Amino acid sequence: MSPRIDLSSAVRPFGESTMLPGDAYASARVFEWEQRHVFAGSWTCVGRAVPAVTTMRVGDVGVIVTPQRRAFANVCRHRGHELTPTGTSLLCPYHGWAYNIDGTLKSAPRINVDKTNNMLTELPCVDWHGWVFVNATATAGSSATAGSFEEHVGSLDALVAPYRPARLEVKARHEYEVRANWKVITENYHECYHCPLIHPELCAVSPPTSGNNWRDEPGNWVGGAMDLREHAETMSLDGRSRGAFLPGVDPRTVRYLGLFPNLLISLHPDYVLTHLLRPVAADRTLVECEWLFDPAVTDPSYALEFWDLVNRQDWAACESVQRGVSSPHFIPGPLAPNETAVYDWLQLVARAYQAA
């Protein structure tokens, strides 16, 4: 069942297409459909490797993720109650059934059951460069919306691998609540048409018309690169780096990559920044930003200060866009010549809508 969105204008060839209709951004019905089919039904990033057993929701599905990079449905095999981590096990607070963190049934008070046939349902889970991805509907490889993870990530690995993110450490983290649809945020991320008007600090270290976008590669991702100005070493308020440059990467460019549906990866010469999107309503998204550095770096503030400023400038614009697309007077507009990455992202969204 599709979300019943009119895609006819959005999927026209670039130069003729428009943005998605307003319901794609403002409708609670569409949002609920996306929770099941786009987030639970795809390969969704749930963050960096967790240090302890963690419960969360991936789309509209309850999930348990363990430090061993395994994921299980958060559904007790007795009556379906959600489980609670207790350190060394998972406990159902309803009737006391307990499970080991490998999903096996540990005990079931006052009832004789076959432990082998009452394990937790394991879900596809992958560790990719230190980021954990879960397919919460367990349909990976068998549905139109979720192929194998290798098919999902495609050639993106070749762009990310030189930065060796798995060896980097999270040195700063900030969570934002943005009053905008998750697609408004990703569309904003994938274009710099807006940069001259709202990002003077960014434009001071990177020309807004520099670089190029890519989408002639396999995988569910889009992206591009922008150049640093001659005086700038990295993205910071003064253009200087106070970190450690990453070996083997291009020192003059910043790569902006979006892995569908919810991980945005910004690769800098001296750090990696991610925006992890957790949609909570049609008009509200939690965005968790993490700054990853060489383990020797002790002060990430130069990158944190720069991107916190740029983020907040973006969030104000995105929230205004959300109010606009929610208006009964909104008509989907055209794309500018340099918004090719936005077009490519919209085609990923459209394919997800059409595949259901």
Side-chain angles (χ1 to χ4, degrees), residues 46-52 54 65-67 69 127 130-132 173 290:
V46 298
R48 299 291 283 183
V50 297
T54 304
V65 180
T66 77
R69 278 72 162 178
D127 183 315
W131 293 292
V132 178
R173 180 184 290 107
E290 292 186 331

Side-chain angles (χ1 to χ4, degrees), residues 68-188:
Q68 291 74 30
R69 278 72 162 178
R70 297 180 70 180
F72 302 92
N74 191 359
V75 179
C76 179
R77 292 297 305 277
H78 175 224
R79 296 276 291 282
H81 198 287
E82 295 166 315
L83 307 174
T84 301
T86 61
T88 58
S89 64
L90 293 154
L91 178 67
C92 175
Y94 194 20
H95 295 103
W97 284 36
Y99 300 83
N100 297 304
I101 61 172
D102 64 358
T104 57
L105 181 61
K106 184 177 183 179
S107 62
R110 302 177 300 283
I111 183 173
N112 185 20
V113 297
D114 183 347
K115 293 182 178 179
T116 303
N117 291 324
N118 284 279
M119 297 175 59
L120 296 178
T121 299
E122 187 158 9
L123 306 175
C125 183
V126 173
D127 183 315
W128 182 68
H129 295 297
W131 293 292
V132 178
F133 294 78
V134 174
N135 172 226
T137 56
T139 54
S142 61
S143 76
T145 54
S148 69
F149 184 77
E150 290 72 21
E151 293 171 322
H152 181 72
V153 76
S155 58
L156 181 63
D157 192 78
L159 294 173
V160 175
Y163 293 79
R164 299 173 63 196
R167 68 170 284 273
L168 304 181
E169 294 181 357
V170 177
K171 298 290 186 174
R173 180 184 290 107
H174 197 109
E175 187 172 278
Y176 304 88
E177 180 177 322
V178 186
R179 289 300 221 173
N181 185 271
W182 65 278
K183 296 184 293 299
V184 170
I185 296 171
T186 53
E187 290 161 11
N188 174 84

Side-chain angles (χ1 to χ4, degrees), residues 24-44:
Y25 306 99
S27 167
R29 171 186 56 81
V30 173
F31 176 79
E32 290 173 4
W33 184 93
E34 291 174 340
Q35 287 290 90
R36 171 56 56 92
H37 297 279
V38 173
F39 287 89
S42 182
W43 286 100
T44 293

Side-chain angles (χ1 to χ4, degrees), residues 1 18 39 47 116 124 132 148 161 167 172 187 191 193 207 226 252 297 304 355:
M1 178 180 176
T18 69
F39 287 89
T116 303
V132 178
S148 69
R167 68 170 284 273
E187 290 161 11
E191 55 96 346
Y193 186 32
M226 292 180 64
R252 301 305 306 158
V297 173
L304 176 62

Side-chain angles (χ1 to χ4, degrees), residues 283-302:
D283 61 353
R284 188 159 63 96
T285 306
L286 297 181
V287 183
E288 180 185 273
C289 286
E290 292 186 331
W291 287 259
L292 285 67
F293 289 81
D294 182 279
V297 173
T298 58
D299 182 8
S301 61
Y302 71 97

